[in-house]
Amino acid sequence: MTKPIFANFATSLIALSVAAACATNPSANSATASGDQPQKPTAEQIEIAERADPLTRANFWNAQYNQFPTDPEIAVAFSESLREISSFERAAEIANLAAVSHPGNYDVVIEVARAEQDQGNLLQAVRAYAAAAELRPDDATPYAAVGAIYDAEGEHEAAQIAYGEALEIDPNRPATLSNFGLSLALSGDLVGAEYRLRQATALEGATAQVRQNLALILALQGKFVEARDVARIDAAEYIADRNIDFVAQMIGQNAQLEEIANNALSGEELTVAATVPEAEVPIAAPTAEVQTESIGEPTELASQEPRRPRLRGTLSGGR
């Protein structure tokens, strides 16, 4: 039985954060017990650190965190830097500890969600995104992120509801429109996928990745001439042609893809999920969402109804 995702998953972020706090090394909370008061980094120092390689950046923020363990901005920056060097468990620990001290800080909550997602704890990630949506109901980011999680789990219908929620809040998100289109393609709806991807490519912020995704969907429908034209916008002609030729060969060798293409051309809809090979096709990939938000305080989520329509799905839990 499907259940409202955000209504059910947003209730246990505090427990998650408290557990992380208990596991955190208490030595990180002892800043400078003697000597002069430490000074926070200047804007120039931060700019230099952010231009450095990931390991240098992580070391910089580690030093800052040791001096200011309760500063939410430093905690978020430290967690982000840890994720960049694939230290996902430590990143989640730092982010969750910050959420204990700053439960109403949106940036902290979003970072908890991303850190848990990177670690593979999808249930915890959805809970944190739900808490973020409570804190900032007019921000599309949590909904778009949850859509990507559902797609990764094969829950394409739930993913599409989530993308729809995100686009209701902010209809001009090329990455969300692109991911929506790919999700529809995975459900067998290539016509709908093309529509969403055309919307995405028409927006000013559309990237090469978005256009290449459109090229793939066009090719899957047998629209090879237009697919080549789109692919050549960002890729060398021989690379674009090779990619489209590969898709053409793949359709001919895959009965299900051939059925998808034929049904798309005839206007029919499939009732089964399409299996579109991902690793072999160099022109298609989920579009990354811009990570700019953070996490807040979810104190009474168990008793509060979210203010926007709830997502529905059957996500079973973290892996």
Side-chain angles (χ1 to χ4, degrees), residues 135-159:
L135 291 167
R136 201 174 288 178
D138 293 329
D139 191 330
T141 300
Y143 293 91
V146 168
I149 289 177
Y150 275 120
D151 263 338
E153 291 295 289
E155 293 279 350
H156 304 307
E157 182 178 355

Side-chain angles (χ1 to χ4, degrees), residues 175-194:
T176 303
L177 283 164
S178 178
N179 286 344
F180 198 170
L182 292 180
S183 182
L184 289 168
L186 290 169
S187 299
D189 182 5
L190 293 183
V191 174
E194 179 184 341

Side-chain angles (χ1 to χ4, degrees), residues 274-290:
T275 304
V276 180
E278 298 179 25
E280 295 181 329
V281 185
I283 61 173
T287 306
E289 292 289 339
V290 178

Side-chain angles (χ1 to χ4, degrees), residues 9-57:
F9 288 168
T11 60
S12 63
L13 182 60
I14 285 185
L16 183 66
S17 299
V18 170
C22 294
T24 300
N25 186 344
S27 64
N29 294 318
S30 58
T32 56
S34 62
D36 297 333
Q37 286 291 335
Q39 298 296 315
K40 290 185 179 181
T42 64
E44 183 180 2
Q45 289 173 321
I46 292 175
E47 183 180 355
I48 293 172
E50 290 302 312
R51 291 201 304 263
D53 62 273
L55 186 58
T56 299
R57 188 159 53 248

Side-chain angles (χ1 to χ4, degrees), residues 205-256:
T207 64
Q209 192 174 356
V210 172
R211 288 185 287 272
Q212 295 305 311
N213 288 343
L214 173 60
L216 170 65
I217 299 305
L218 291 170
L220 287 173
Q221 296 177 86
K223 301 177 180 180
F224 299 117
V225 174
E226 186 178 5
R228 283 189 170 86
D229 290 340
V230 173
R232 288 172 179 174
I233 294 174
D234 304 290
E237 184 172 328
Y238 80 95
I239 295 177
D241 291 348
R242 184 184 63 188
N243 288 339
I244 301 305
D245 289 342
F246 177 84
V247 175
Q249 294 173 10
M250 184 176 64
I251 292 174
Q253 296 170 3
N254 187 308
Q256 191 174 24

